[in-house]
Structures are given as C-alpha cells and as structure tokens.
Amino acid sequence: MEMTSVPPSSSFNNINWHLVQFCPDSGLEPAVAKCFVLPLKQEDMPPVKKGILERLNAGEVVIGDGGFVFALEKRGYVKAGPWTPEASVTHPEAVRQLHREFLRSGSNVMQTFTFYASDDKLENRGNDLRLSGQQINEAACDLAREVANEGDALVAGGVSQTPSYLSCKSEDEVKATFKKQIDVFVKKDVDFLIAEYFEHVEEAEWAVHVLKSTGKPVAATLCIGPDGDLNSVSPGDCAVRLVKAGAQIVGVNCHFDPMTCVKTVELMKEGVERAGLKAHFMVQPLAYHTPDCNCQGFIDLPEFPFALEPRILTRWDMQQYARAAYNAGIRYIGGCCGFEPYHIRAVAEELASERGLLPAASEKHGMWGSGLDMHTKPWVRARARRDYWEKLKPASGRPLCPSMSCPDSWGVTKGHADLMQQKEATTEEQLKQLFQKAPAK
C-alpha cells in the first residue's frame, strides 16, 4: 500500500489532513477509491509560528540577529571593501553556523545574508564573482529558512542601498534593481521584508514601494543618527515618509552606537505620533561606541574598518542598551555590524522577564557573572555580582591612544563625482587622486 501526504493545494484545506492511502483494489469509484484521508491529531501538529506583525501587535519583544558582514569578514568568508555576501553560495556552512549561533542566543529573526546582494553592487568596481544575484539571494533564503525551522524564528529578506542610486540612476532603474531581489524573496516565501541600510530616505522610500507590492509585511531602517539623512531630512520626517510609503515597522540600523540609535528612533517615534500615524519601531545598531562620529557615522572614523575593536561594547553595555530600547517603546531590538551572538544573548537575558524565557545559550552563562563563583581564584570569585560589572569602567590597555578620534569629513554624497560608481576596477590613477585628497581632508 503506497502512502503519501496531501499537498498544500488540496481542496481539503480546512482540515489538517495527515495521510492518503492508495487502495486500487477497493472496488470504489476512481475518484473516491483513490484515497482515504486520516486527520492529524492537533497535539501532533507542528506549532504555527506567529508572523512579525502578529508578534509586535501583541506587544511581544522581537529580538533580531547580529552583524553577518563584519563577523564573516573576521572569519575569512567576506572581503572587506565590496562587503558582498557570496559566502551564502561559496561557504554555506559558515553562514549556516552563524545563523545557528544567533538563534541559540535568542534571535527571533533569521535575516537572509543578502546585504549588498543587488546585481549592480555584486559587479561594482571590478568585483568579478562569477555568481548572479539570483544565485546568492536564493542560497541565502534557503540557509535562513533551514535554521529558522530549528526554532521559533522568522525569515526576513533584506535589500539595501544601491550603487545605482549613488550614481544618480532613475527611480525606475533603482526600483528594477530591488525588484530582482524581491522576486527571489517571493519565490522563497520569506516571512517579511526589510529595506535596511539607507543613507537617503528617498531611496528607502523607493525600496519600500517595491517591497510593499508583494503584500508581505515591510520594515524599513535608515543608517542615520539624530541629525537625519545625508540630505538633512530629520529622523521624524524620515519615519513619516517611510510609513506613508507603506512600511509597518521603521527604525535605524548600523553607522552609530546603540544609545545614539535609540535616541534617533525616539525622534522617529515622535515624528510618527505627531503626524497621527501608527507604526512599530525597530533598532539594530553597531556594537561599537561612536560618540565622536559625524553625520556619516562610523565609516568616517579613521579606525574603520580594521581597527574598531577597542570600541566594542561589552555584554553589560548591551544589557543597558536593551533596557533603554525597551523603555523607549521599541519592540524589535537587534544588532548590526560588530554584534556577535554573545551580544544578542545579553539583549535576550536583559529582557528575559518581558519575554518569559531565556535563550538556550544562557545555559552556559551565569547572569551578571554569577558563574564566576566556581573560579579557582578568590579575587575572581569576588566579581560574581551584578554591581561589580555594572560599575566597571573598562580600560583599553592602550596608554598611547586617544579616547576619541577625529572623523574624516569629506562631505560627499549622492551626485558627487567621487561617489559615481563603475563596473570597472578602481584604477591606480583614481586611487592616486584620492590619496592626494586625503591629507587635505
């Protein structure tokens, strides 16, 4: 007797059908004799995951994941400079493992590793990958879904700013670039969509228009600080424009430290409420302290990208960030560049009472250093308490280094000749011109 399951397109879709038994010798009419269907008991059904808006509408805290680009660059799977995500195809085991570590640390969202996976970015400045955007986006979706299915996580398909926009291509051309990625996300049936890492609200609006056409929930985050986007559009006005474009979740990601990002989202929230609109709010900041940044954020710091480690937030800093974000009314709380799984675990631990659970990774982590009571050295055992770690002012161990930097301030943005992008590799002459400009800047 042959056994098979009923396909999702079955006309019996109001019942949880389990098995179909093919009985050619039953003597019944073919249409009837083809199968007997046994209903699956409710207790045997896999739990149905709540969608992103269902969770946020219920007031739940949704914890995002961390920074794949920087984490995988440090591990040897991403090239600094282009920052493209071909590792989803070339080294899927590395991407899968990082997803798993974030899931174990408490992440409720597996964001596809599709940052800078638009066709124009993949072939920008001589970046000859011999891989298509479709291949990379499909592989990233599959990896995110595989790991999300290991827990109660959702899959978010993400798009980001494009070289086409920086090079002053038309709205239709930029939207066509987003559309290619979105077609893959629809095919792979991601749970919701994120337009992230936009320096200009105009381009983010264009992205939201394309994402909204799918009918899936849409989140949109800008990489801006309290001063607004690179055209000086305020955070409040940026948020209003994104909500009116169709985003149900708005906020910021990257470029600035957690407390700066929380402040920026508060300004966005004020703008949305002042306009009489409604939205959910999210924040996914850097894991670096950036008090000395200008409006361009950490990419203007002289330490970017290879000497940022002295600025990394501790796990205790992250707990303060999580509490500040929650108190500000932000319910989608995650991280971006520099965020490692232990940072996300700290967020999950700080908000454990609000969420009603601890992440699996907390099995190996005593809250506020409590596990140190097992240490062999008595002075280390004396640190097994919350007030010690909350009051600690960590030293950098670099006596000859300043505490602050002087950021580069070239002041160039969309439309400037230095930001015009090209398929060809950057030439020696072009580099020479930049080297000559650098000391003057």
Side-chain angles (χ1 to χ4, degrees):
M1 181 178 292
E2 184 181 0
M3 312 286 283
T4 185
S5 61
V6 178
S9 59
S10 168
S11 59
F12 305 110
N13 53 16
N14 288 327
I15 301 177
N16 297 322
W17 299 109
H18 185 30
L19 295 175
V20 177
Q21 300 182 355
F22 287 89
C23 308
D25 300 324
S26 66
L28 298 174
E29 292 295 322
V32 178
K34 188 174 182 180
C35 63
F36 294 102
V37 185
L38 304 177
L40 188 65
K41 294 181 180 179
Q42 192 64 41
E43 59 267 27
D44 296 330
M45 288 290 291
V48 177
K49 294 181 182 180
K50 292 187 287 187
I52 186 65
L53 294 180
E54 188 179 0
R55 298 181 191 209
L56 293 173
N57 287 339
E60 294 182 22
V61 175
V62 173
I63 296 182
D65 57 11
F68 274 64
V69 170
F70 270 42
L72 290 172
E73 190 277 332
K74 288 180 173 64
R75 290 159 169 78
Y77 300 107
V78 165
K79 185 175 183 179
W83 306 108
T84 47
E86 60 272 14
S88 291
V89 175
T90 60
H91 295 284
E93 73 288 350
V95 178
R96 182 186 295 110
Q97 177 62 21
L98 191 53
H99 275 308
R100 281 206 178 111
E101 291 180 22
F102 281 121
L103 180 71
R104 178 174 166 77
S105 296
S107 295
N108 301 122
V109 177
M110 299 293 103
Q111 195 166 329
T112 58
F113 184 38
T114 51
F115 177 80
Y116 276 167
S118 60
D119 283 344
D120 60 343
K121 178 60 178 174
L122 293 172
E123 60 186 16
N124 194 48
R125 295 198 174 275
N127 193 28
D128 185 13
L129 299 176
R130 304 185 189 280
L131 290 169
S132 69
Q134 180 175 343
Q135 287 176 290
I136 294 172
N137 283 284
E138 287 186 351
C141 288
D142 290 342
L143 290 169
R145 179 62 70 189
E146 176 186 347
V147 177
N149 285 345
E150 297 172 5
D152 187 36
L154 302 173
V155 174
V159 302
S160 49
Q161 67 181 10
T162 64
S164 293
Y165 181 82
L166 292 178
S167 299
C168 301
K169 297 289 181 68
S170 70
E171 178 178 348
D172 287 343
E173 290 174 296
V174 174
K175 284 184 173 180
T177 300
F178 294 135
K179 181 68 163 54
K180 289 182 180 179
Q181 283 188 269
I182 295 305
D183 286 344
V184 174
F185 298 151
V186 170
K187 173 185 174 182
K188 293 294 184 178
D189 196 26
V190 300
D191 298 305
F192 69 104
L193 301 165
I194 301 178
E196 68 164 2
Y197 195 78
F198 287 87
E199 296 172 305
H200 303 86
V201 68
E202 179 183 57
E203 187 183 14
E205 286 178 291
W206 295 353
V208 170
H209 291 154
V210 178
L211 271 57
K212 192 66 179 174
S213 68
T214 66
K216 292 182 178 293
V218 174
T221 56
L222 306 175
C223 48
I224 65 172
D227 292 334
D229 82 347
L230 295 189
N231 289 326
S232 299
V233 181
S234 72
D237 288 344
C238 284
V240 168
R241 288 172 62 169
L242 294 174
V243 173
K244 287 183 176 180
Q248 294 113 321
I249 310 165
V250 297
V252 297
N253 79 293
C254 206
H255 274 207
F256 295 92
D257 61 49
M259 293 309 184
T260 301
C261 286
V262 169
K263 178 181 177 181
T264 305
V265 178
E266 286 181 304
L267 295 173
M268 298 178 94
K269 189 170 182 284
E270 290 172 5
V272 170
E273 292 172 350
R274 191 164 50 244
L277 301 172
K278 291 184 178 181
H280 296 290
F281 297 91
M282 66 183 291
V283 60
Q284 301 208 105
L286 297 175
Y288 305 107
H289 291 286
T290 62
D292 41 356
C293 279
N294 58 23
C295 67
Q296 288 256 55
F298 81 142
I299 59 173
D300 273 6
L301 292 175
E303 298 92 351
F304 176 87
F306 299 129
L308 290 164
E309 283 79 3
R311 294 173 175 267
I312 292 176
L313 275 75
T314 68
R315 64 194 69 193
W316 317 119
D317 293 328
M318 289 301 181
Q319 293 204 207
Q320 293 175 10
Y321 149 62
R323 181 55 54 191
Y326 184 85
N327 289 343
I330 303 168
R331 292 297 178 264
Y332 188 139
I333 304 170
C336 199
C337 297
F339 262 76
E340 293 282 348
Y342 77 95
H343 289 130
I344 291 297
R345 180 182 63 190
V347 172
E349 288 181 346
E350 175 63 28
L351 299 175
S353 60
E354 287 81 4
R355 299 176 71 232
L357 76 163
L358 282 167
S362 293
E363 295 171 5
K364 295 293 185 180
H365 185 245
M367 294 288 284
W368 290 102
S370 61
L372 296 180
D373 63 1
M374 301 173 69
H375 203 279
T376 56
K377 303 294 189 291
W379 58 89
V380 178
R381 291 198 298 274
R383 300 170 188 162
R385 64 188 195 276
R386 177 171 180 161
D387 65 325
Y388 175 87
W389 295 109
E390 277 191 318
K391 295 175 182 177
L392 182 70
K393 303 296 183 186
S396 69
R398 297 174 179 270
L400 302 181
C401 292
S403 61
M404 301 284 190
S405 293
C406 182
D408 292 328
S409 299
W410 285 36
V412 300
T413 186
K414 178 197 175 187
H416 193 283
D418 288 343
L419 272 183
M420 300 301 287
Q421 303 300 307
Q422 61 191 48
K423 287 187 179 182
E424 300 76 25
T426 305
T427 66
E428 290 294 328
E429 182 58 31
Q430 288 173 324
L431 283 175
K432 183 179 179 181
Q433 293 174 9
L434 294 177
F435 295 158
Q436 291 171 343
K437 286 183 179 181
K441 298 293 184 183

